Amino acid sequence: LASFLFVMPACAPGCSFKSKQFCDREFLIAGVHAVTITQHWHRNCLGLPGGAVWEGAIVMSEYIVKHYGEKMKGAKVLELGCGPALVAIVCAKLGASVVVTTDYDDKVLELASKNVVQNKVDDIVSVEKLPWGETCTNTYDFIIGSEVTYTDDSWEALATTIVSGAKSVCRVILSEAPRFLEDGEPEPGAEGFFKFLDEKSSKEFPFKLVRPKGIEPIPRDVTQETMDRWAADGIVIWEMVRQKSKLRMPQLLRRTSKIFSG
C-alpha cells in the first residue's frame, strides 16, 4: 500500500451543489482511488466553516493511509466534526467495516451525506448528528477528529463523547494546526485536551499518549493555495491509546488478598 496523498487544486467556484458557493475538489490517494469532495468554496463564507476541507483533514487522511492502512480493515470508526467527510471516506475505502461520521450542523451533515453517496461508500459510512457532550450508543476501534480542540470551552463535552464511544482498546487520533490568539499566545490545542482526557478517563481503562514523538511534516504536494493560513511548522498529529491497565504484582496481590479475605 502506497502512503502518499496527492491533492489536486480546487476548481473554480460554482461547479456543483445547487449554488455558486460550492466547488468540487479531487483527492488522489495512492492505493485508495480518487475521492471527490464537494465543499463550500470558502470556509468562513455564509457562516459554514465546517463546509470546507480544512488542512488538518488532508494531513489526517495522509497519516491514516501511511500508518493505519492495514489496521483500518474491518475496523469500526467514529469521526467527530466531520465537515465534508473526506477522512471518513478515506477510512471506508481503506476497508473499515463501519464508519460513523458526525457533526452538529445540519447543513454540514447534508454536504457530508452528498459526498458519501457520490463516492459510493454509503453502505459503510453513516452520517449522523452528534453534538459533543452526548454519549455514544456504540463503541469504536478508532475515534478521529481534525482540528476539533482549538477551544478549551468544548473540552469537557468532547471528552464525554470520546470516553463513551471508546472500546476498552481504542485509538484516538486528532490533528491540529497551530493557531494564535490576538495577544500572540497559542490557542489551546490537542496536547492540553489529551491531558484533560487523561484526567477524565477511568483508572481501569486509561488513555495513554503515544504520539507525537515528533511533528509530522506537511505533505510536499499540498499546494501553497491550501496553506494560506498555516504556520510554517504545519499540522501536528496526536494519538492516545485506551487499553486495560496492567496491574503490577503488589497491586495484584493486594486485590487477590481482598477477594479471599472477604
Side-chain angles (χ1 to χ4, degrees), residues 4-245:
F4 217 77
L5 175 74
F6 299 89
V7 184
M8 297 296 290
C11 65
C15 60
S16 66
F17 206 60
K18 303 179 183 178
S19 170
K20 293 182 178 180
Q21 301 294 339
F22 292 88
C23 73
D24 287 342
R25 293 179 68 184
E26 187 175 50
F27 297 82
L28 302 179
I29 304 170
V32 177
H33 306 300
V35 175
T36 300
I37 296 293
T38 300
Q39 69 161 54
H40 208 272
W41 178 242
H42 193 282
R43 78 186 76 197
N44 294 320
C45 186
L46 297 181
L48 195 65
V53 177
W54 287 54
E55 288 81 1
I58 297 173
V59 176
M60 174 72 81
S61 297
E62 192 272 345
Y63 184 85
I64 289 174
V65 170
K66 180 178 180 180
H67 293 281
Y68 295 105
E70 291 298 319
K71 292 182 180 179
M72 196 57 61
K73 292 178 180 177
K76 294 183 178 180
V77 182
L78 172 66
E79 182 181 20
L80 301 171
C82 65
L86 170 65
V87 184
I89 293 167
V90 168
C91 290
K93 287 184 175 288
L94 286 170
S97 61
V98 174
V99 181
V100 179
T101 190
T102 67
D103 210 292
Y104 72 94
D105 188 288
D106 291 334
K107 291 181 179 179
V108 171
L109 292 171
E110 181 184 358
L111 185 59
S113 296
K114 172 183 171 58
N115 286 321
V116 166
V117 170
Q118 74 180 1
N119 284 280
K120 300 179 180 179
V121 292
D122 49 311
D123 57 331
I124 298 170
V125 181
S126 61
V127 180
E128 300 180 11
K129 188 168 188 174
L130 180 63
W132 298 343
E134 292 188 4
T135 56
C136 299
T137 56
N138 295 298
T139 55
Y140 302 89
D141 303 297
F142 289 88
I143 298 177
I144 57 179
S146 303
E147 302 192 54
V148 296
T149 57
Y150 54 85
T151 171
D152 53 9
D153 292 342
S154 65
W155 283 1
E156 184 162 0
L158 184 59
T160 296
T161 299
I162 288 176
V163 171
S164 72
K167 285 186 174 182
S168 57
V169 177
C170 176
R171 188 170 295 266
V172 180
I173 310 175
L174 303 179
S175 68
E176 69 169 342
R179 293 188 177 86
F180 298 89
L181 303 171
E182 292 181 0
D183 59 6
E185 291 295 313
E187 286 185 346
E191 181 177 14
F193 171 73
F194 273 138
K195 291 177 180 177
F196 183 84
L197 182 60
D198 180 55
E199 294 172 359
K200 295 278 288 183
S201 62
S202 69
K203 292 182 179 179
E204 185 179 10
F205 294 101
F207 287 87
K208 179 183 178 182
L209 184 66
V210 294
R211 286 181 187 268
K213 296 178 180 177
I215 294 178
E216 287 289 318
I218 301 171
R220 292 175 182 239
D221 283 65
V222 173
T223 66
Q224 185 63 40
E225 181 180 14
T226 68
M227 294 169 57
D228 58 358
R229 61 186 302 279
W230 277 24
D233 287 340
I235 299 294
V236 181
I237 299 288
W238 296 84
E239 286 190 46
M240 286 190 91
V241 173
R242 185 190 203 193
Q243 55 191 8
K244 193 166 186 176
S245 60

